[in-house]
Amino acid sequence: VNSKYEIIHLLRELTRQKNKTIIFSTHDLQAALSQADRIWLMLKSGLMEGAPEDLMLEDAFDLLFEKSVVKFDSRHGSFFMNTPARGTVSLEGKGKEKYWTSRALMRAGFAIEDEYGKTVIKVLPGRKWSVDSDAGHFDCSSIHQLTEWLTKSTGDQL
């Protein structure tokens, strides 16, 4: 993975230093989104082109996955599986711990809402999590423990 991105970075640097255009064909959407100045996106309805951010704002990449179990999150530029919903939770916290907690919760099938619902998860300092729900209170020290407990204890009741 490292070498692939180093080569893509080198190609990008060549375009800057030598004032040249490099056409790079890839199915690696993450690489294209992070490094390309322009993307030509081939859809069933035709060709779309533009800066990655412009295509994101037009929801162009969502069209690639509209009938798939794979979904594209145009807000974050990432992929996820369309997991059956288990319920809704509220998530308090900040930083990368909150971000990765939300990713794991969504992967496990939990929708995250801003309003406080029946299940409130707090991301605490020192990589600790606290859950309060109708199923009780639970403290844990890993995201894995958190999602496992939610799935077993409250997943079908939220």
Side-chain angles (χ1 to χ4, degrees):
V1 172
N2 188 40
S3 295
K4 174 175 75 171
Y5 281 94
E6 284 180 0
I7 290 170
I8 293 169
H9 177 73
L10 176 63
L11 292 171
R12 184 175 173 82
E13 288 298 307
L14 285 171
T15 66
R16 305 291 191 264
Q17 293 171 3
K18 303 292 184 185
N19 197 27
K20 300 287 183 186
T21 298
I22 295 177
I23 298 173
F24 175 70
S25 175
T26 183
H27 287 118
D28 186 342
L29 193 51
Q30 294 286 12
L33 290 171
S34 70
Q35 295 298 308
D37 293 323
R38 289 188 91 86
I39 293 178
W40 286 265
L41 187 62
M42 294 171 37
L43 301 168
K44 287 183 181 181
S45 60
L47 185 68
M48 291 184 79
E49 66 87 21
E53 297 78 12
D54 289 328
L55 294 174
M56 289 284 219
L57 292 173
E58 293 177 34
D59 296 326
F61 300 105
D62 296 340
L63 298 173
L64 289 173
F65 303 98
E66 64 186 350
K67 294 183 180 179
S68 173
V69 296
V70 177
K71 297 297 176 195
F72 183 75
D73 178 0
S74 57
R75 185 173 164 203
H76 297 101
S78 60
F79 300 93
F80 63 95
M81 300 301 283
N82 193 15
T83 307
R86 293 183 184 274
T88 303
V89 299
S90 299
L91 182 61
E92 292 180 16
K94 57 186 175 181
K96 70 179 182 178
E97 287 82 4
K98 180 180 180 183
Y99 174 78
W100 288 109
T101 301
S102 68
R103 293 273 307 247
L105 290 169
M106 288 186 288
R107 186 180 67 247
F110 296 96
I112 299 169
E113 64 180 25
D114 293 331
E115 310 238 348
Y116 292 103
K118 292 181 182 179
T119 301
V120 178
I121 301 166
K122 294 178 183 174
V123 180
L124 305 171
R127 293 199 179 148
K128 296 186 186 293
W129 291 261
S130 177
V131 183
D132 287 302
S133 74
D134 289 346
H137 179 83
F138 180 69
D139 292 318
C140 59
S141 59
S142 76
I143 294 173
H144 175 73
Q145 289 174 334
L146 171 67
T147 57
E148 189 174 77
W149 185 83
L150 282 170
T151 300
K152 289 179 181 175
S153 301
T154 63
D156 298 326
Q157 301 168 20
L158 296 177

